[in-house]
Amino acid sequence: MDAHIKKVYVPMTETGFYILLCLREERHGYSITRKVEEMTDGEIVIKPGTMYGSLSKMEKDGLIHFVREEEKRRIYHITELGTEVLELEKKRIERLYRNVKENWL
Amino acid sequence: MSERKRTFKYFTIMEYEEEQEYLRSEHKRGWRFLDVIFPGIYTFERCEPEDVVYQLDYNKEGRKYMAEYTQMFRDSGWEHICDFVGYSYFRKAVSEMKEEEEIFNDDSSKLDMLRRVFYGRMVPLLVIFVLIICPQLYVQLSFGTIVGISCFLMYAALLLIYLIVFIKCALKYHDLKKKVR
């Protein structure tokens, strides 16, 4: 993995993580926003400026790719590189959770 | 056609927050923002006073796919108004929000926007500015005449003003960067 990719995406922002997670399925920006809102019980609502900016950036960095357009909405899907990055983040979160449970609760 | 008015306001490229506040306060006073043209002429239309949040986004990628870009904002309830010097203007009524909303939901993406403005516009403009002004400074000074010296001082003043604006912007960018990382 590129050093640049590691520097920018490891660790990831919570928003970035949820976007990549949702893009394991083909989705457009607003569909991601609705899914994340549902997944987090309304705690995280991704706004359009953040969403469009993040999607463009991830596409440029090769973490997601454009699939097709439907009714003026661009649909994206995660790439192999994106899956790799997501795996790294998943391991980091699992380790965090494990340590919290063992040393606190 | 509703009553219209025009105002002249000058906001630098990094003063988008002040500009957002200005448009919001005008709307609260019953003036709906319609358009802005160079060098800072704002056109408003009479309307019912309402608390409406105005937001500016700077995204060249968005400008490439205008229909899709504005659709994403429309999906979240933000109306696209117009574009000006690379910025896109949006608004949403407070009555349609659960709590005070912006078009960004974390500092990281706000910083990304600032970075786009800074490296996409401020830095290139400064380079062009310096490349034009510096030879002029040298030429005017080399004349040694009164006119030459005055021209030199005028160019030097222009350069100084631009440098001050640039430094203020760089500081703002740096402060947010420290807050985020």
Side-chain angles (χ1 to χ4, degrees):
Chain A
M1 193 183 299
D2 228 35
H4 163 77
I5 300 288
K6 268 218 174 97
K7 187 164 172 225
V8 175
Y9 295 101
V10 182
M12 222 178 276
T13 61
E14 198 165 2
T15 300
F17 174 75
Y18 277 109
I19 292 175
L20 269 186
L21 188 66
C22 289
L23 284 177
R24 284 165 77 229
E25 289 176 355
E26 289 181 1
R27 287 180 189 278
H28 57 72
Y30 189 57
S31 142
I32 299 171
T33 298
R34 291 235 305 277
K35 180 76 180 153
V36 174
E37 198 173 347
E38 181 194 313
M39 277 164 87
T40 61
D41 280 318
E43 286 287 319
I44 296 181
V45 182
I46 304 176
K47 306 286 171 17
T50 300
M51 180 61 81
Y52 202 95
S54 302
L55 289 175
S56 309
K57 193 172 158 199
M58 286 181 184
E59 187 182 13
K60 229 183 229 170
D61 289 334
L63 267 61
I64 63 177
H65 70 100
F66 171 71
V67 178
R68 66 177 180 279
E69 195 181 302
E70 257 175 33
E71 286 174 12
K72 287 193 272 180
R73 294 185 185 94
R74 291 168 66 81
I75 295 178
Y76 292 94
H77 195 216
I78 199 171
T79 61
E80 228 179 271
L81 178 62
T83 307
E84 254 184 81
V85 173
L86 195 63
E87 268 297 320
L88 278 178
E89 190 65 9
K90 174 174 173 265
K91 287 207 171 73
R92 189 185 73 87
I93 293 172
E94 281 171 345
R95 183 181 64 200
L96 204 73
Y97 181 68
R98 198 171 57 236
N99 282 311
V100 165
K101 286 219 98 165
E102 282 171 21
N103 296 296
W104 188 10
L105 298 171
Chain B
M1 195 174 80
S2 254
E3 186 193 344
R4 290 193 177 183
K5 77 166 180 180
R6 281 202 168 83
T7 64
F8 176 75
K9 273 286 227 198
Y10 188 71
F11 295 101
T12 67
I13 215 119
M14 293 288 251
E15 287 176 332
Y16 57 88
E17 282 172 337
E18 285 85 344
E19 195 173 354
Q20 284 165 180
E21 278 311 309
Y22 171 64
L23 295 175
R24 183 176 183 174
S25 68
E26 283 296 317
H27 206 135
K28 268 198 216 162
R29 290 171 54 220
W31 290 103
R32 204 169 146 263
F33 172 60
L34 287 180
D35 198 357
V36 55
I37 58 170
F38 189 82
I41 298 169
Y42 293 80
T43 305
F44 296 88
E45 183 181 63
R46 255 259 169 252
C47 68
E48 277 300 306
E50 198 185 349
D51 196 6
V52 174
V53 174
Y54 281 81
Q55 291 278 283
L56 269 60
D57 186 26
Y58 187 90
N59 199 323
K60 279 205 178 124
E61 290 299 317
R63 306 292 298 282
K64 261 196 234 168
Y65 302 101
M66 222 31 194
E68 293 78 0
Y69 178 60
T70 54
Q71 183 62 46
M72 192 173 293
F73 281 80
R74 193 176 303 124
D75 284 338
S76 294
W78 291 90
E79 178 196 349
H80 176 240
I81 309 161
C82 66
D83 302 310
F84 181 59
V85 294
Y87 279 102
S88 297
Y89 290 65
F90 299 94
R91 70 171 149 234
K92 187 174 180 180
V94 171
S95 56
E96 290 171 25
M97 300 178 185
K98 261 180 275 173
E99 39 172 53
E100 187 99 354
E101 255 182 68
E102 292 185 334
I103 57 174
F104 298 104
N105 56 280
D106 59 20
D107 279 340
S108 181
S109 52
K110 261 197 198 156
L111 181 65
D112 283 342
M113 205 263 287
L114 259 180
R115 185 182 294 123
R116 291 194 291 267
V117 175
F118 195 68
Y119 288 108
R121 211 163 202 107
M122 284 246 77
V123 171
L125 272 177
L126 182 70
V127 170
I128 291 168
F129 209 76
V130 168
L131 286 176
I132 293 174
I133 296 267
C134 284
Q136 280 300 316
L137 287 174
Y138 178 73
V139 164
Q140 297 301 337
L141 202 58
S142 66
F143 281 154
T145 61
I146 298 285
V147 176
I149 301 284
S150 341
C151 280
F152 167 79
L153 287 173
M154 189 187 74
Y155 282 121
L158 267 173
L159 186 61
L160 190 67
I161 291 170
Y162 196 79
L163 276 175
I164 290 172
V165 171
F166 185 83
I167 288 169
K168 276 172 80 179
C169 299
L171 284 174
K172 181 174 182 168
Y173 174 69
H174 187 251
D175 283 342
L176 187 59
K177 196 171 180 187
K178 269 190 34 200
K179 191 178 168 210
V180 170
R181 301 291 173 211

Short mmCIF file of all heavy atoms in Angstrom, two decimals, chain A residues 48-78:
data_model
loop_
_atom_site.label_atom_id
_atom_site.label_comp_id
_atom_site.label_asym_id
_atom_site.label_seq_id
_atom_site.Cartn_x
_atom_site.Cartn_y
_atom_site.Cartn_z
N PRO A 48 -24.00 16.89 2.69
CA PRO A 48 -23.59 16.83 1.29
C PRO A 48 -22.19 17.35 0.98
O PRO A 48 -21.50 16.79 0.13
CB PRO A 48 -24.66 17.64 0.56
CG PRO A 48 -25.37 18.41 1.60
CD PRO A 48 -25.24 17.65 2.87
N GLY A 49 -21.76 18.42 1.63
CA GLY A 49 -20.41 18.95 1.39
C GLY A 49 -19.36 17.94 1.76
O GLY A 49 -18.40 17.70 1.01
N THR A 50 -19.55 17.31 2.92
CA THR A 50 -18.63 16.26 3.37
C THR A 50 -18.69 15.06 2.44
O THR A 50 -17.68 14.51 2.04
CB THR A 50 -19.00 15.81 4.80
OG1 THR A 50 -18.90 16.91 5.68
CG2 THR A 50 -18.08 14.71 5.28
N MET A 51 -19.91 14.65 2.09
CA MET A 51 -20.10 13.45 1.27
C MET A 51 -19.45 13.61 -0.10
O MET A 51 -18.66 12.78 -0.52
CB MET A 51 -21.59 13.15 1.10
CG MET A 51 -21.89 11.90 0.27
SD MET A 51 -21.22 10.41 0.99
CE MET A 51 -22.49 10.07 2.19
N TYR A 52 -19.78 14.69 -0.80
CA TYR A 52 -19.24 14.87 -2.14
C TYR A 52 -17.73 14.99 -2.10
O TYR A 52 -17.02 14.40 -2.92
CB TYR A 52 -19.86 16.10 -2.84
CG TYR A 52 -19.74 16.00 -4.33
CD1 TYR A 52 -20.79 15.48 -5.09
CD2 TYR A 52 -18.57 16.37 -4.99
CE1 TYR A 52 -20.68 15.35 -6.46
CE2 TYR A 52 -18.44 16.22 -6.36
CZ TYR A 52 -19.50 15.72 -7.09
OH TYR A 52 -19.38 15.57 -8.45
N GLY A 53 -17.22 15.76 -1.15
CA GLY A 53 -15.78 15.92 -0.99
C GLY A 53 -15.09 14.60 -0.72
O GLY A 53 -14.06 14.29 -1.34
N SER A 54 -15.65 13.79 0.17
CA SER A 54 -15.05 12.50 0.52
C SER A 54 -15.08 11.54 -0.65
O SER A 54 -14.10 10.85 -0.92
CB SER A 54 -15.77 11.86 1.70
OG SER A 54 -15.74 12.71 2.81
N LEU A 55 -16.22 11.47 -1.35
CA LEU A 55 -16.33 10.55 -2.49
C LEU A 55 -15.34 10.92 -3.58
O LEU A 55 -14.67 10.05 -4.14
CB LEU A 55 -17.76 10.55 -3.03
CG LEU A 55 -18.81 9.89 -2.15
CD1 LEU A 55 -20.20 10.06 -2.75
CD2 LEU A 55 -18.52 8.42 -1.93
N SER A 56 -15.21 12.22 -3.91
CA SER A 56 -14.26 12.64 -4.94
C SER A 56 -12.84 12.25 -4.55
O SER A 56 -12.07 11.75 -5.35
CB SER A 56 -14.29 14.15 -5.15
OG SER A 56 -15.60 14.59 -5.35
N LYS A 57 -12.54 12.52 -3.27
CA LYS A 57 -11.19 12.24 -2.77
C LYS A 57 -10.90 10.74 -2.81
O LYS A 57 -9.84 10.31 -3.27
CB LYS A 57 -11.10 12.76 -1.33
CG LYS A 57 -9.72 12.84 -0.76
CD LYS A 57 -9.78 13.55 0.60
CE LYS A 57 -8.60 13.19 1.45
NZ LYS A 57 -8.84 13.48 2.87
N MET A 58 -11.83 9.93 -2.34
CA MET A 58 -11.63 8.47 -2.33
C MET A 58 -11.51 7.92 -3.74
O MET A 58 -10.76 6.99 -3.99
CB MET A 58 -12.77 7.78 -1.59
CG MET A 58 -12.72 7.94 -0.09
SD MET A 58 -14.11 7.07 0.66
CE MET A 58 -13.88 7.52 2.36
N GLU A 59 -12.28 8.50 -4.66
CA GLU A 59 -12.21 8.05 -6.04
C GLU A 59 -10.84 8.36 -6.63
O GLU A 59 -10.20 7.53 -7.27
CB GLU A 59 -13.29 8.72 -6.89
CG GLU A 59 -13.37 8.16 -8.30
CD GLU A 59 -14.42 8.86 -9.15
OE1 GLU A 59 -14.91 9.93 -8.74
OE2 GLU A 59 -14.72 8.33 -10.24
N LYS A 60 -10.35 9.56 -6.35
CA LYS A 60 -9.04 9.97 -6.84
C LYS A 60 -7.94 9.08 -6.26
O LYS A 60 -6.98 8.75 -6.94
CB LYS A 60 -8.76 11.42 -6.41
CG LYS A 60 -8.27 12.29 -7.53
CD LYS A 60 -7.95 13.68 -7.06
CE LYS A 60 -8.59 14.69 -7.98
NZ LYS A 60 -8.55 16.04 -7.52
N ASP A 61 -8.09 8.71 -4.99
CA ASP A 61 -7.09 7.88 -4.33
C ASP A 61 -7.25 6.39 -4.63
O ASP A 61 -6.49 5.56 -4.13
CB ASP A 61 -7.14 8.11 -2.81
CG ASP A 61 -6.61 9.48 -2.41
OD1 ASP A 61 -5.78 10.03 -3.17
OD2 ASP A 61 -7.02 10.01 -1.35
N GLY A 62 -8.27 6.05 -5.39
CA GLY A 62 -8.44 4.66 -5.80
C GLY A 62 -9.10 3.74 -4.79
O GLY A 62 -9.04 2.51 -4.92
N LEU A 63 -9.75 4.31 -3.79
CA LEU A 63 -10.40 3.47 -2.79
C LEU A 63 -11.80 3.04 -3.24
O LEU A 63 -12.36 2.05 -2.77
CB LEU A 63 -10.53 4.23 -1.46
CG LEU A 63 -9.40 4.03 -0.45
CD1 LEU A 63 -8.08 4.51 -1.00
CD2 LEU A 63 -9.70 4.76 0.85
N ILE A 64 -12.40 3.83 -4.12
CA ILE A 64 -13.71 3.50 -4.66
C ILE A 64 -13.68 3.75 -6.17
O ILE A 64 -12.79 4.46 -6.66
CB ILE A 64 -14.85 4.34 -4.03
CG1 ILE A 64 -14.66 5.82 -4.33
CG2 ILE A 64 -14.94 4.08 -2.54
CD1 ILE A 64 -15.78 6.71 -3.79
N HIS A 65 -14.63 3.16 -6.90
CA HIS A 65 -14.69 3.45 -8.34
C HIS A 65 -16.12 3.72 -8.75
O HIS A 65 -17.08 3.25 -8.13
CB HIS A 65 -14.07 2.29 -9.15
CG HIS A 65 -14.90 1.04 -9.13
ND1 HIS A 65 -15.74 0.69 -10.17
CD2 HIS A 65 -15.01 0.06 -8.20
CE1 HIS A 65 -16.32 -0.46 -9.87
NE2 HIS A 65 -15.90 -0.86 -8.69
N PHE A 66 -16.24 4.53 -9.81
CA PHE A 66 -17.54 4.92 -10.34
C PHE A 66 -18.12 3.74 -11.10
O PHE A 66 -17.46 3.12 -11.92
CB PHE A 66 -17.36 6.14 -11.25
CG PHE A 66 -18.58 6.51 -12.03
CD1 PHE A 66 -19.69 7.07 -11.41
CD2 PHE A 66 -18.64 6.30 -13.41
CE1 PHE A 66 -20.82 7.41 -12.13
CE2 PHE A 66 -19.75 6.64 -14.14
CZ PHE A 66 -20.85 7.20 -13.50
N VAL A 67 -19.37 3.43 -10.82
CA VAL A 67 -20.02 2.31 -11.48
C VAL A 67 -20.90 2.79 -12.64
O VAL A 67 -20.70 2.45 -13.79
CB VAL A 67 -20.89 1.50 -10.48
CG1 VAL A 67 -21.59 0.36 -11.19
CG2 VAL A 67 -20.02 0.98 -9.36
N ARG A 68 -21.90 3.61 -12.31
CA ARG A 68 -22.81 4.15 -13.32
C ARG A 68 -23.58 5.30 -12.70
O ARG A 68 -23.46 5.59 -11.51
CB ARG A 68 -23.78 3.07 -13.79
CG ARG A 68 -24.73 2.60 -12.70
CD ARG A 68 -25.73 1.58 -13.17
NE ARG A 68 -26.60 1.20 -12.06
CZ ARG A 68 -26.26 0.31 -11.13
NH1 ARG A 68 -25.09 -0.30 -11.19
NH2 ARG A 68 -27.08 0.04 -10.14
N GLU A 69 -24.37 5.96 -13.55
CA GLU A 69 -25.17 7.07 -13.06
C GLU A 69 -26.65 6.74 -13.20
O GLU A 69 -27.07 6.14 -14.19
CB GLU A 69 -24.86 8.31 -13.89
CG GLU A 69 -25.34 9.59 -13.26
CD GLU A 69 -25.04 10.77 -14.12
OE1 GLU A 69 -23.85 10.98 -14.41
OE2 GLU A 69 -25.99 11.47 -14.53
N GLU A 70 -27.42 7.11 -12.18
CA GLU A 70 -28.86 6.87 -12.21
C GLU A 70 -29.57 8.12 -11.75
O GLU A 70 -29.39 8.55 -10.62
CB GLU A 70 -29.21 5.73 -11.23
CG GLU A 70 -29.49 4.40 -11.89
CD GLU A 70 -29.70 3.30 -10.84
OE1 GLU A 70 -30.24 3.61 -9.76
OE2 GLU A 70 -29.30 2.17 -11.13
N GLU A 71 -30.41 8.68 -12.63
CA GLU A 71 -31.18 9.87 -12.25
C GLU A 71 -30.33 10.95 -11.59
O GLU A 71 -30.63 11.43 -10.51
CB GLU A 71 -32.31 9.48 -11.29
CG GLU A 71 -33.46 8.78 -11.98
CD GLU A 71 -34.49 8.29 -10.98
OE1 GLU A 71 -34.41 8.69 -9.80
OE2 GLU A 71 -35.36 7.50 -11.37
N LYS A 72 -29.28 11.35 -12.24
CA LYS A 72 -28.38 12.41 -11.77
C LYS A 72 -27.68 12.06 -10.46
O LYS A 72 -27.29 12.94 -9.69
CB LYS A 72 -29.13 13.74 -11.59
CG LYS A 72 -29.48 14.42 -12.92
CD LYS A 72 -29.92 15.84 -12.70
CE LYS A 72 -31.40 15.94 -12.44
NZ LYS A 72 -31.84 17.33 -12.22
N ARG A 73 -27.53 10.78 -10.15
CA ARG A 73 -26.79 10.39 -8.95
C ARG A 73 -25.71 9.40 -9.37
O ARG A 73 -25.99 8.41 -10.05
CB ARG A 73 -27.72 9.75 -7.92
CG ARG A 73 -28.74 10.74 -7.37
CD ARG A 73 -29.56 10.13 -6.26
NE ARG A 73 -30.59 11.04 -5.81
CZ ARG A 73 -31.84 11.04 -6.27
NH1 ARG A 73 -32.20 10.17 -7.18
NH2 ARG A 73 -32.71 11.92 -5.81
N ARG A 74 -24.49 9.69 -8.93
CA ARG A 74 -23.36 8.83 -9.29
C ARG A 74 -23.26 7.69 -8.30
O ARG A 74 -23.21 7.91 -7.08
CB ARG A 74 -22.07 9.64 -9.33
CG ARG A 74 -22.04 10.63 -10.48
CD ARG A 74 -20.89 11.62 -10.33
NE ARG A 74 -19.57 11.01 -10.44
CZ ARG A 74 -18.97 10.71 -11.59
NH1 ARG A 74 -19.57 10.96 -12.72
NH2 ARG A 74 -17.76 10.17 -11.61
N ILE A 75 -23.22 6.47 -8.84
CA ILE A 75 -23.16 5.29 -7.98
C ILE A 75 -21.72 4.78 -7.91
O ILE A 75 -21.06 4.63 -8.94
CB ILE A 75 -24.12 4.20 -8.50
CG1 ILE A 75 -25.56 4.72 -8.39
CG2 ILE A 75 -23.95 2.89 -7.74
CD1 ILE A 75 -26.60 3.79 -8.91
N TYR A 76 -21.26 4.50 -6.71
CA TYR A 76 -19.89 4.05 -6.48
C TYR A 76 -19.85 2.67 -5.86
O TYR A 76 -20.84 2.18 -5.31
CB TYR A 76 -19.17 5.02 -5.55
CG TYR A 76 -18.89 6.38 -6.14
CD1 TYR A 76 -19.78 7.42 -5.94
CD2 TYR A 76 -17.75 6.61 -6.89
CE1 TYR A 76 -19.53 8.67 -6.48
CE2 TYR A 76 -17.49 7.86 -7.43
CZ TYR A 76 -18.39 8.89 -7.22
OH TYR A 76 -18.14 10.12 -7.75
N HIS A 77 -18.65 2.07 -5.91
CA HIS A 77 -18.44 0.76 -5.29
C HIS A 77 -17.00 0.73 -4.79
O HIS A 77 -16.11 1.36 -5.38
CB HIS A 77 -18.67 -0.35 -6.32
CG HIS A 77 -18.82 -1.70 -5.71
ND1 HIS A 77 -18.34 -2.84 -6.32
CD2 HIS A 77 -19.40 -2.10 -4.56
CE1 HIS A 77 -18.61 -3.88 -5.56
NE2 HIS A 77 -19.26 -3.47 -4.49
N ILE A 78 -16.77 0.00 -3.70
CA ILE A 78 -15.42 -0.07 -3.13
C ILE A 78 -14.48 -0.88 -4.02
O ILE A 78 -14.92 -1.79 -4.72
CB ILE A 78 -15.49 -0.68 -1.70
CG1 ILE A 78 -14.23 -0.34 -0.90
CG2 ILE A 78 -15.73 -2.19 -1.75
CD1 ILE A 78 -14.33 -0.72 0.57
#
